[in-house]
Amino acid sequence: MVDLSSAVRRGHPIAFGIFTVFALIVAIIASAVVADFNSNGQPSSKLVRDSTRFMVFAGWWGFLFSLVYIGLFLSGIGGFLSSIASHAVFIFLTWVFWLAGSAALSTKVGSADCSADDNGIPDCSALRAICAFGWIGWIELTCMLGVICYLAYKAFSGGRGMNDGFA
């Protein structure tokens, strides 16, 4: 059986660090757009308004929890909080949030012509950036979820449980 512990020790902080950057970008851009909506009037589309606000939540959720998981992993604190099961629940929940937010925002903004002044979508370019970084983050979460599923399978087949740590 192949020992993956050294790859996990190197890859975990890198993968979560990259996702933390994407989550911070989404959170900052979406927060700025929502602040602009609040000060300059709401967009005519409730879908744009609500999905942008949801991406604020999803971005800050991903950013804060990724920092927590990086800290737990690097400090070596064991237990349930740093277990494979905990990672799987967090990544799956975040995966659902990012999928829902990115898909909802993409339905209205994805095909919009941001160069036209009368497209009816305020902050169109910023909203497209949120969509782009949202989908990039979702793709990374999909890869991370695949790795977690593989590690869980290896843990079960090797006699370990889901409450065991990664490395």
Side-chain angles (χ1 to χ4, degrees):
M1 185 151 95
V2 177
D3 184 25
L4 298 172
S5 61
S6 63
V8 170
R9 278 195 288 279
R10 278 190 304 261
H12 183 283
I14 293 169
F16 272 84
I18 291 170
F19 179 71
T20 301
V21 170
F22 289 138
L24 183 62
I25 291 169
V26 166
I28 289 172
I29 296 172
S31 296
V33 170
V34 167
D36 185 54
F37 287 169
N38 291 339
S39 64
N40 296 328
Q42 299 296 323
S44 59
S45 171
K46 290 182 181 181
L47 178 66
V48 170
R49 180 196 69 199
D50 295 342
S51 57
T52 305
R53 289 183 176 167
F54 186 75
M55 288 304 285
V56 170
F57 163 74
W60 287 116
W61 164 276
F63 176 73
L64 293 174
F65 275 94
S66 291
L67 287 180
V68 167
Y69 275 92
I70 290 171
L72 287 172
F73 186 80
L74 293 177
S75 67
I77 297 174
F80 181 73
L81 287 177
S82 63
S83 68
I84 295 172
S86 173
H87 277 75
V89 168
F90 160 72
I91 291 175
F92 179 73
L93 194 56
T94 306
W95 182 86
V96 169
F97 289 161
W98 281 60
L99 175 63
S102 298
L105 196 56
S106 292
T107 58
K108 186 70 175 177
V109 179
S111 62
D113 181 15
C114 290
S115 63
D117 291 334
D118 60 346
N119 63 9
I121 301 173
D123 300 316
C124 183
S125 296
L127 291 171
R128 290 189 85 172
I130 295 169
C131 286
F133 282 106
W135 285 117
I136 292 168
W138 179 80
I139 289 168
E140 184 183 3
L141 284 168
T142 302
C143 294
M144 290 167 66
L145 194 57
V147 170
I148 293 295
C149 289
Y150 177 73
L151 292 174
Y153 168 75
K154 294 298 274 183
F156 277 134
S157 66
R160 296 175 31 211
M162 288 288 281
N163 287 335
D164 290 340
F166 276 103

